[in-house]
Amino acid sequence: MTPARAKYVDSTAILDCSPRFLQGARPWCETEAEFNRPVALPEFVYVGPFAVIGCGALLGSGCVVDAYCRIEPLAQLGEDSLVLYRGTIGMQAVVGKRCVIGGSVSERTVVEDDCTSFGKLIHTHWDSRSPWDDREEPEPSPVIRRRSFIGHDALVIGGIEVGPHAYVCAGATLTCTLLPYHIAYGVNKIVHYSQWRGKLAQNPLFLTDQ
């Protein structure tokens, strides 16, 4: 029997949280008029204790934002997706439907439908002297294609693509494109799933396109 669904927002959760000022104390609102838009919460949603959801964020029906998780302004979270383990979805990032996010998703990152990520999807920060959050040209962000998996403590760095149907092992570091149906492990070590020695090669992720 399917349990009843409802809207629950814990009393300690913070909605419509404004972005902090830029370095130099210049307010974000000077560059992003959309920050005035309130959070869009659907009829069915769960927002847990001490969760923070920024102004202009858009959540799909059936989303769960667990305790102490953060969704920054203008980010999007698709239907039936789950954010847990203090996960963070950065400003203007887009996460698709039926995803599980338990790590860090940097600003403007795209995560397509049916993905799971427990790692860190981050920028290269190739010029450490540039302003932290007021660059003339934003750094490229990762793109995680549908039905891909990012393991715990993995690092996916820069404007690269992962998948679809790709797997990044726990603790791996990836700075190059990961083709569909491939596995990344170690530091930029990549192999087609059919050449993997071990049970991971039998992961249904690789065996179906449904």
Side-chain angles (χ1 to χ4, degrees):
M1 180 176 179
T2 303
R5 306 175 77 187
K7 178 185 286 187
Y8 174 81
V9 178
D10 192 87
S11 61
T12 62
I14 301 175
L15 303 183
D16 297 319
C17 182
S18 298
R20 59 173 171 75
F21 276 34
L22 296 165
Q23 288 175 311
R26 182 167 66 81
W28 277 101
C29 59
E30 291 183 6
T31 57
E32 297 286 352
E34 292 176 288
F35 286 139
N36 294 320
R37 192 177 72 227
V39 171
L41 291 180
E43 182 179 359
F44 303 119
V45 71
Y46 174 92
V47 180
F50 302 101
V52 177
I53 301 180
C55 51
L58 179 62
L59 277 64
S61 180
C63 285
V64 174
V65 181
D66 209 355
Y68 294 98
C69 294
R70 181 181 183 90
I71 298 179
E72 295 189 348
L74 307 182
Q76 298 180 36
L77 183 64
E79 295 178 6
D80 295 317
S81 287
L82 166 64
V83 186
L84 74 171
Y85 302 153
R86 297 178 181 259
T88 299
I89 299 177
M91 192 180 301
Q92 297 175 314
V94 178
V95 176
K97 301 176 182 178
R98 299 174 299 278
C99 291
V100 178
I101 303 296
S104 175
V105 177
S106 290
E107 293 87 349
R108 301 176 303 280
T109 296
V110 174
V111 180
E112 294 185 343
D113 296 346
D114 301 297
C115 290
T116 296
S117 179
F118 295 118
K120 295 180 179 180
L121 314 179
I122 58 179
H123 302 128
T124 58
H125 299 293
W126 65 271
D127 184 355
S128 59
R129 298 172 301 172
S130 294
W132 181 253
D133 51 13
D134 192 21
R135 299 170 183 263
E136 290 185 6
E137 294 187 9
E139 284 198 281
S141 303
V143 176
I144 312 301
R145 299 298 184 190
R146 61 188 180 87
R147 291 189 177 276
S148 292
F149 181 92
I150 313 296
H152 281 272
D153 294 326
L155 297 176
V156 176
I157 305 173
I160 62 174
E161 289 194 17
V162 172
H165 293 263
Y167 191 105
V168 180
C169 293
T173 297
L174 185 68
T175 62
C176 59
T177 292
L178 182 61
L179 295 175
Y181 299 96
H182 280 68
I183 298 170
Y185 63 102
V187 179
N188 287 332
K189 294 182 178 180
I190 296 172
V191 63
H192 191 269
Y193 84 92
S194 62
Q195 299 176 340
W196 184 268
R197 295 183 178 180
K199 192 173 181 179
L200 180 57
Q202 304 302 315
N203 191 322
L205 174 77
F206 306 121
L207 306 179
T208 178
D209 194 36
Q210 300 300 314

